[in-house]
Amino acid sequence: MRALARLVLFAVALTVCGPVAAQSLEREVGDFTEKLEIGISTDEISITSDFRGADLTIFGAIDGFDADLLAQGKYNIIVVLEGPKDNATVRKKQRVFGIWVNTQSMTFELVPEAYSLSSTRDIATIAPPRDIANMGIGVDHMRLVPLGFIGDGSSLGEFRNAFRRIREESGVYQRDPGGVQFISSSLFKASVRLPANVPNGIHVVRAYLFRDGLFVAAKALPLRVVKTGLEQAITRAAHEQPLIYGFLAVTLAVITGWGASLLFRKE
């Protein structure tokens, strides 16, 4: 009866929030009886002209849990929202003859354009750091491989740290220890933030279950972030008809400049 009640409560929570049934990843480790189920409040985020960011709610449940371990707080959840991947270049500026110029650069291969992490507590206390690092969970453990890098590697750490700092300062990389909370017995919910400058494309919501420091299972769901209205038309024109888009952009700039000169012209 308790198991049935948990499933009913989980189903109600997902119904209220608009569940997503499609699963893109299902990973469970043998020798564990626990199973992980998740759902998200929406499977699509629309970016309009007044978009200021959005909060995504993830609901989940642990099935087949050990009641004693649950009461002792031995179960921990990590939820990650990972954006589409693309190459990213970090440039180092130095002062040359009084002018700041780019002197070095490094391009990292296929890194997430956005990354938000929530967890029941600091991920460093959930599992051994080596295990977390091997799974690539968290901004600090993100796989940053330089593209076509040739050198002694002495500056690699500097560029990696700069990349993480820039992304976090811009708000596209976020972390929230304590952002995942158990709301009823084995049910949990998490909230991850999509910043105003979130990239459009297919994002992936991943949830990881740990029991007393050991990885148990992971599930994932896709999330579409799409531009609508004028933003979508401009983006499509820029990618599909770059010459026409460039011509119109230059024409608009000329007209705007000419109009401003007439408006503020001194007699």
Side-chain angles (χ1 to χ4, degrees):
M1 292 297 293
R2 291 176 58 189
L4 178 61
R6 287 198 306 273
L7 292 176
V8 171
L9 183 58
F10 179 56
V12 170
L14 293 182
T15 301
V16 172
C17 295
V20 177
Q23 271 183 218
S24 62
L25 179 151
E26 180 172 342
R27 181 181 175 191
E28 295 176 357
V29 180
D31 301 328
F32 291 107
T33 60
E34 295 88 348
K35 295 183 180 296
L36 183 65
E37 300 295 338
I38 63 170
I40 53 180
S41 54
T42 179
D43 63 348
E44 183 173 296
I45 300 291
S46 298
I47 299 179
T48 58
S49 57
D50 59 348
F51 184 75
R52 297 293 181 269
D55 291 310
L56 180 71
T57 301
I58 300 96
F59 284 94
I62 306 172
D63 192 25
F65 64 91
D66 185 302
D68 292 334
L69 293 177
L70 184 67
Q72 298 170 26
K74 298 295 185 179
Y75 290 106
N76 284 284
I77 306 291
I78 300 175
V79 174
V80 172
L81 176 61
E82 185 178 286
K85 296 183 178 182
D86 197 2
N87 295 345
T89 300
V90 179
R91 294 179 174 85
K92 182 178 181 179
K93 290 186 176 183
Q94 289 181 320
R95 199 176 185 89
V96 179
F97 299 112
I99 302 176
W100 288 98
V101 296
N102 294 324
T103 57
Q104 291 179 282
S105 67
M106 184 175 294
T107 298
F108 294 108
E109 184 179 12
L110 297 179
V111 295
E113 296 184 76
Y115 191 91
S116 296
L117 182 148
S118 291
S119 52
T120 47
R121 49 196 173 103
D122 193 316
I123 62 173
T125 65
I126 290 178
R130 178 175 296 181
D131 294 346
I132 295 292
N134 289 339
M135 297 178 67
I137 300 176
V139 175
D140 296 332
H141 306 301
M142 188 175 294
R143 184 174 177 268
L144 298 177
V145 178
L147 185 65
F149 177 73
I150 299 176
D152 59 6
S154 59
S155 61
L156 186 55
E158 179 185 5
F159 276 94
R160 281 174 170 166
N161 292 334
F163 170 82
R164 296 186 182 101
R165 185 185 69 253
I166 292 170
R167 289 296 174 98
E168 289 191 291
E169 289 177 351
S170 67
V172 293
Y173 281 14
Q174 304 178 34
R175 62 184 91 190
D176 181 18
V180 179
Q181 298 179 341
F182 283 95
I183 55 177
S184 175
S185 184
S186 63
L187 300 179
F188 64 88
K189 75 170 184 176
S191 179
V192 292
R193 180 69 180 169
L194 286 84
N197 55 343
V198 62
N200 64 313
I202 303 298
H203 297 237
V204 179
V205 177
R206 288 189 175 89
Y208 302 88
L209 170 63
F210 291 84
R211 186 185 79 180
D212 200 16
L214 298 176
F215 171 68
V216 175
K219 288 290 179 71
L221 296 173
L223 171 71
R224 296 179 66 243
V225 177
V226 296
K227 293 182 178 180
T228 59
L230 180 61
E231 289 75 13
Q232 175 61 18
I234 293 175
T235 300
R236 182 177 300 171
H239 287 85
E240 298 180 0
Q241 298 175 319
L243 291 179
I244 297 177
Y245 172 81
F247 175 77
L248 292 176
V250 171
T251 301
L252 180 60
V254 171
I255 294 175
T256 302
W258 176 73
S261 66
L262 290 179
L263 183 62
F264 297 102
R265 183 175 57 186
K266 294 183 179 178
E267 298 296 339

